Each structure stands twice: as C-alpha cells, then as structure tokens.
Amino acid sequence: MTESRSRQPDTVRSIVYALSANLAIAVCKALGAAFTGSGALLAESFHSLADTGNECLLLLGRRQARAPASTHHPLGHGRATYFWAFVVALLLFVIGGVLSIYEGIQKLREPAPLVEPWVAVAIVLFAMAAEGISLRMALQQIDKVRRGLTLWRWFRETRRSELIVVLGEDIAALAGLALALAALAATIATDNAVYDAAGSIAVGVLLMVVASGLAIEIKSLLIGESAPPRLRSEIRAFIKEQPGIVDVDNLITMQQGDELLIVVEARMDSHASAAELARTISDCKAAIRAAFPSAAWIFIEPTVARHEERPMRAEARSRVRAG
C-alpha cells in the first residue's frame, strides 16, 4: 500500500494540540521565570513562545495551500506550507536560540540567586509532561505514513513539512527542558546561579542546532523535491502494469505540499491509432488518480522505441496530448 493510499495523518490536529500546549507552557514558564529569576526557565519561555507563533504560521500555510490554481499559479499554492515552515525554522533559530543565549550571557554577567527554585522545577516537570503528550501525538500521526522506516530515515525522506516541524519542535522542547532541569538542579545543589545561566546558553545552542536542521530539510522542499523514493518506485511499477503501456521511459514527480505532480514518458504500441493511444492515456490517468489520490496533475507523453516503426505523426501526437 502506498503512502497516498494509506490512512492519512491528521496534521492539523497535531498542530492545534501543539499550539494549545505551547501557549499554556509559555505562560507558565514566563510567570515562573519572573517569580524565581531563573534564566534557564526564561530561555524556555522564549522557546515555547516561539513554538506558539510557529504553530500559527503552520496553520496559515495550510490555509494558503488550499487556494485554487490560477493563471499566475497554475500548479496551485501547495508549496505555501514549505515557505511558512521555513519561516518557522528561522523564528525558532532567532527567538528561541539567539534570545536564550543572550539571556544566559546576561545572567553570567550579573548573576542573581534564584527565588523559590522548586517552583521552577515544578513548572519544568509540568512542561515536560505536556510536551511528552504532544510528541506522542505527533509520533502517532507519523506512524500512519512511516511504513516501517526508522524515524531518522522518515525525517530525511518525508515531504510533510508540518509534521517535520512539529516533531523537531517537540524533540527540541523535551531536550531543552531536560537541560533546564539539570541546570536548576545544579543551581539548587550548589547555590551557584552560574549553572542556571549556563543552562540558558545550552538551551539556546540546542534550539539553533535543531532549527538549522529543520531549515536544511525544508529548504530542499521549497526548491522542489520529487516524491519519496519508495512512492516513486510504486508509481513507476503501477504505470507499467497498465494496459497499453509497454514501458516507462522517464518519470518525473514533484511534491506540491499535500499534492503531487506526475509527468510520464510512456512507451506505447506504435501500431495503435491516435484514438487508441488517447484512450489508453485517459484510462491510465484515471487509474493513477484512483491508486494515488494525492496526484493532482498527471501528464503522460507517449513515446515509441527507436527500433520500432517511425514515431507517430505530429498530428496524431498533438491529438493524443490534447486527450
């Protein structure tokens, strides 16, 4: 079963849940940081605030991607999801990473003792539980399309930018919270605020690394990537099985958000009439759409082998293309 034919993930649900969780966590962290004076907790509040805005941008991207095709955008607006996902990576880098490092440096220059540090610890533990639930939900949606791949390989091959971002944010959030918790524990044990400042810097560095990885993956999608290798192989094999198709000389696929562009050079019977070829192409397109619902645009170019009779006349070829 192909990814397109399998049960699809509820991406919007994952984004909305992450948005709700991050908003609540950001408020708790900010209040806790203001009360305790913890730089690590303040850095984490920057992170959660960035994540909250990021989820809003992902929802905006999905809304824009649903805009219909037009003369100016003949293949639709599917790549809008990639653009906003890339913006999210940049914001995570700047707001989450740079501000956290800046806050840590300021705390190193002007260290201050924590007030009621156990309050900060409780907030971090609450945030870890909420982020863990968000990550679990994201993984459940990813499992619907992962199809036995390792999580790392799925991350490198998938074209679902929103799930990439949500997964990256959740993993970074849990890792950042673990660093913040370790920094708070060291500060409580030693009564030295330097550890808290170091935790803020460590969180910032972590977020910058994660954001850079997300940006690299999404940049490739933004430029234009084909369908995943396994799906591409399945599409090729499926087309070769269709009646009237001798072989597939060339297959080009392009991912446009949730939709797929397929361009095929298919070797067909050179003895067939133009009407027969047109019917073969029409039937093949219908079969592809039924098997791969994400295929929004399908173009089939008929070709003949060099050793066969001369190619179809220009008139017949134009009629087939029109069909």
Side-chain angles (χ1 to χ4, degrees):
M1 180 180 293
T2 66
E3 179 178 343
S4 56
R5 283 181 287 180
S6 63
R7 194 157 54 98
Q8 296 298 297
D10 190 348
T11 305
V12 174
R13 184 182 179 188
S14 297
I15 296 173
V16 170
Y17 187 87
L19 169 63
S20 303
N22 282 318
L23 181 59
I25 292 170
V27 172
C28 289
K29 288 177 180 176
L31 293 176
F35 179 72
T36 63
S38 170
L41 198 57
L42 183 59
E44 274 298 310
S45 69
F46 289 148
H47 178 194
S48 295
L49 182 63
D51 286 351
T52 301
N54 292 345
E55 263 77 61
C56 292
L57 292 179
L58 292 179
L59 292 174
L60 175 62
R62 288 195 67 83
R63 180 179 179 181
Q64 291 184 349
R66 292 196 297 268
S70 63
T71 303
H72 193 54
H73 296 282
L75 297 181
H77 299 74
R79 290 197 196 179
T81 58
Y82 301 153
F83 170 77
W84 288 111
F86 189 78
V87 172
V88 163
L90 295 180
L91 291 177
L92 184 62
F93 186 94
V94 176
I95 298 179
V98 175
L99 287 183
S100 296
I101 293 176
Y102 174 79
E103 175 63 22
I105 293 174
Q106 290 297 105
K107 287 290 184 180
L108 284 177
R109 290 177 176 175
E110 301 176 4
L114 299 183
V115 178
E116 299 292 340
W118 291 107
V119 174
V121 171
I123 292 174
V124 169
L125 292 175
F126 162 74
M128 292 181 75
E131 292 289 359
I133 295 173
S134 178
L135 176 60
R136 181 171 177 269
M137 177 168 289
L139 290 174
Q140 286 177 345
Q141 303 305 317
I142 290 171
D143 285 342
K144 295 179 180 180
V145 291
R146 193 152 60 97
R147 302 173 60 211
L149 297 177
T150 64
L151 195 59
W152 173 249
R153 187 175 175 187
W154 173 86
F155 177 81
R156 296 304 308 272
E157 291 187 3
T158 186
R159 308 307 190 246
R160 299 179 181 276
S161 58
E162 300 103 322
L163 285 180
I164 289 177
V165 171
V166 172
L167 176 66
E169 285 181 348
D170 287 344
I171 292 176
L174 282 173
L177 287 166
L179 289 174
L181 185 61
L184 287 170
T187 302
I188 293 172
T190 63
D191 198 26
N192 189 342
V194 170
Y195 291 104
D196 183 64
S200 177
I201 295 173
V203 170
V205 171
L206 170 68
L207 296 181
M208 292 176 74
V209 170
V210 171
S212 298
L214 291 175
I216 291 171
E217 287 297 318
I218 297 169
K219 173 200 167 193
S220 182
L221 291 171
L222 194 58
I223 293 173
E225 281 192 5
S226 65
R230 187 184 299 186
L231 179 58
R232 212 163 52 240
S233 298
E234 292 174 350
I235 292 173
R236 178 183 289 272
F238 182 83
I239 294 174
K240 289 174 68 174
E241 294 174 355
Q242 299 310 300
I245 304 296
V246 177
D247 200 0
V248 175
D249 291 333
N250 192 21
L251 172 64
I252 298 174
T253 60
M254 183 70 67
Q255 197 73 43
Q256 302 282 121
D258 292 336
E259 298 176 330
L260 188 63
L261 165 70
I262 300 176
V263 180
V264 184
E265 288 186 0
R267 194 181 312 168
M268 300 181 180
D269 183 7
S270 60
H271 299 285
S273 66
E276 292 171 336
L277 289 169
R279 186 164 53 253
T280 297
I281 291 174
S282 178
D283 292 343
C284 187
K285 285 183 177 180
I288 293 173
R289 286 194 176 95
F292 304 91
S294 63
W297 300 275
I298 304 172
F299 304 94
I300 299 178
E301 169 76 13
T303 63
V304 292
R306 293 182 179 180
H307 64 275
E308 294 179 356
E309 297 180 1
R310 70 180 185 277
M312 294 178 292
R313 294 172 300 170
E315 178 183 358
R317 184 183 290 268
S318 64
R319 289 174 59 191
V320 171
R321 288 178 181 171

